Amino acid sequence: MSLWVDKYRPSSLDKLSYHQDLSTNLKRLANTGDLPHLLVYGPSGAGKKTRIVALLREVYGPGVEKLKIDLRRFETPSRKSIELNVVTSNYHLELNPSDVGIYDRIVVQDMIKEVAQTQQVDTNAQRKFKVVVINEADALSKDAQHALRRTMEKYMANIRIILCCNSTSKIISPIRSRCLSLRVAAPTTADIVEVLSAVAKRESLKLSPALAERIAEASERNLRRAVLMLETARVQQYPFTADQTVPLADWQQFIKGMAQSMIQEQSPKRMLEVRGYLYELLTHCIPPSIVLRTLAFELIGQVDQQLKPEICRYAAFYEHRLVSGQKAIFHLEAFVAKFMSIYKRYLMEMYG
Ligand SMILES: Nc1ncnc2c1ncn2[C@@H]1O[C@H](COP(=O)(O)OP(=O)(O)OP(=O)(O)O)[C@@H](O)[C@H]1O
């Protein structure tokens, strides 16, 4: 049994709801016979992956859905062996090079070279190129991006790259200029309500527009989150009522608690506790930028009006450091410490 987010993922361009213009453009692109390198970007849960898979299906037919997972081994210059899971079909392969950290350049170079040098096995294939989808492209090191640019040029004859990422700001400009950029904006609340109603209908559930609206609002325009919330709500209480509680994800609840504890007490002891919480979030693979953003919004919602601008400013400051630095925990902790000092100073001024 699969989750609704997988079960109801539209598989072809025709079945995609919302952003109809984009779907039409993708269809046109797929039917030109050739494909440029693509840079697909947009916020999490906007439907980037779904659109990429639908595009590949349009280009190659249902054969791209026959997937297998290969465990690939690479050797670093210092003879260390690294492993990476690669999802492949006869026509394309999908990788997440940022999983191997600083060795991403080796993966990008070796994999693309290997694919480019093997001929298309299927002689009936309609295209003479294979597609390499690179996920989380904005997490690629600069080194890997330069290697990618070189390989892109060298093997243009039989390879097309599709880069998938949240923001193009971390992609080097020589790559950006070689790709066709496609922005998949977050669906509007109304779009999400529509998808939720369609899912409910296919599950033969009665979903009132009021509840669908509340779930869509709570999902912050992240469609995946919205569909997951609907499925959780179904488990918690059915028949639905318009005013039933909309379940937040565990990690969101956790960050809420963290913000409360930072507001209750500002001390080295509390700082140490919060550090534990931060590690807990990071080891559960919640991206550090999401932790910082959610925490900042929670804090802003709970403090006095006059403190809000300063907290926003420091959240942006530490987010910038997070992006340019390496160890996320340092910058997250620095933000926590900064907040505590700002808040403590404010309390002292107010209440002496
Ligand atoms: N056009 C659509 N119509 C209906 N449902 C959709 C559509 N696009 C996406 N979805 C649903 O939204 C979920 C999230 O989509 P997807 O995985 O493509 O997002 P994403 O932008 O790649 O997210 P992330 O960047 O977090 O990986 C999918 O599981 C699918 O069920």
Side-chain angles (χ1 to χ4, degrees):
M1 211 182 76
S2 55
L3 289 172
W4 293 352
V5 276
D6 294 323
K7 198 166 157 194
Y8 298 116
R9 186 193 288 265
S11 57
S12 68
L13 289 176
D14 297 322
K15 289 192 195 137
L16 288 174
S17 46
Y18 69 92
H19 301 336
Q20 295 303 344
D21 294 356
L22 184 57
S23 309
T24 318
N25 283 341
L26 287 175
K27 192 152 194 169
R28 242 180 254 147
L29 203 64
N31 294 325
T32 54
D34 200 358
L35 200 67
H37 296 306
L38 297 178
L39 174 56
V40 181
Y41 67 102
S44 179
K48 299 180 294 298
K49 271 295 273 305
T50 309
R51 266 164 219 272
I52 293 175
V53 174
L55 173 73
L56 291 176
R57 194 174 192 276
E58 186 76 26
V59 173
Y60 294 110
V64 274
E65 282 164 5
K66 287 202 195 95
L67 298 173
K68 66 182 190 339
I69 302 179
D70 276 349
L71 182 67
R72 307 299 294 255
R73 287 202 170 74
F74 302 88
E75 196 170 88
T76 68
S78 56
R79 304 206 156 263
K80 192 173 160 215
S81 168
I82 46 172
E83 291 177 343
L84 181 73
N85 278 323
V86 180
V87 179
T88 59
S89 77
N90 272 346
Y91 310 104
H92 86 294
L93 75 163
E94 196 182 315
L95 32 140
N96 208 342
S98 55
D99 282 355
V100 295
I102 55 167
Y103 300 114
D104 55 357
R105 182 182 59 81
I106 300 165
V107 171
V108 165
Q109 250 173 350
D110 288 10
M111 274 318 295
I112 296 185
K113 208 186 279 179
E114 184 187 311
V115 181
Q117 287 169 350
T118 45
Q119 290 294 320
Q120 187 70 277
V121 200
D122 188 351
T123 44
N124 297 324
Q126 317 136 357
R127 320 283 170 176
K128 58 180 195 312
F129 54 82
K130 266 194 170 187
V131 170
V132 178
V133 180
I134 300 185
N135 288 325
E136 288 183 31
D138 42 3
L140 283 177
S141 65
K142 292 281 173 300
D143 232 16
Q145 294 195 32
H146 284 292
L148 179 64
R149 178 186 66 91
R150 286 191 294 273
T151 10
M152 258 170 153
E153 254 163 31
K154 204 161 160 190
Y155 301 112
M156 181 70 191
N158 46 6
I159 224 161
R160 297 293 179 275
I161 311 280
I162 300 184
L163 298 167
C164 181
C165 59
N166 290 136
S167 136
T168 58
S169 63
K170 288 168 224 159
I171 308 281
I172 58 170
S173 60
I175 291 192
R176 268 188 274 163
S177 64
R178 281 169 177 79
C179 294
L180 175 71
S181 296
L182 295 175
R183 174 164 175 265
V184 184
T188 61
T189 310
D191 293 335
I192 295 186
V193 169
E194 214 170 284
V195 174
L196 292 179
S197 310
V199 169
K201 197 167 165 204
R202 289 172 72 181
E203 283 288 319
S204 315
L205 302 175
K206 270 213 171 72
L207 174 67
S208 67
L211 181 61
E213 182 87 28
R214 284 182 51 225
I215 295 180
E217 292 281 352
S219 73
E220 295 172 344
R221 296 177 64 192
N222 180 326
L223 184 53
R224 179 184 308 104
R225 203 182 286 167
V227 178
L228 283 170
M229 278 173 160
L230 179 67
E231 192 166 359
T232 320
R234 159 80 178 84
V235 175
Q236 281 181 345
Q237 180 184 336
Y238 191 76
F240 293 133
T241 54
D243 57 353
Q244 80 183 70
T245 46
V246 172
L248 282 182
D250 288 352
W251 62 271
Q252 283 173 306
Q253 209 75 49
F254 195 77
I255 295 183
K256 221 181 185 127
M258 211 163 110
Q260 253 144 23
S261 87
M262 285 162 65
I263 286 175
Q264 267 163 14
E265 187 185 322
Q266 301 79 36
S267 63
K269 185 167 156 268
R270 192 46 65 95
M271 182 79 217
L272 210 63
E273 281 171 29
V274 174
R275 172 189 291 176
Y277 299 149
L278 288 172
Y279 271 120
E280 187 82 6
L281 287 163
L282 295 179
T283 47
H284 282 84
C285 295
I286 310 293
S289 56
I290 303 265
V291 173
L292 183 65
R293 193 168 152 249
T294 316
L295 183 61
F297 277 124
E298 280 299 333
L299 292 169
I300 289 165
Q302 296 187 34
V303 298
D304 195 74
Q305 200 69 21
Q306 73 183 79
L307 291 179
K308 294 182 187 195
E310 199 175 357
I311 296 174
C312 277
R313 190 160 65 83
Y314 278 106
F317 176 82
Y318 287 108
E319 201 207 2
H320 179 70
R321 291 209 162 173
L322 202 64
V323 171
S324 41
Q326 284 283 334
K327 291 256 179 208
I329 187 76
F330 293 165
H331 309 297
L332 292 175
E333 268 196 74
F335 173 69
V336 172
K338 193 78 205 173
F339 170 82
M340 285 190 175
S341 91
I342 294 171
Y343 199 67
K344 193 154 193 139
R345 193 195 59 215
Y346 161 78
L347 291 179
M348 305 274 268
E349 279 168 11
M350 287 293 281
Y351 306 108

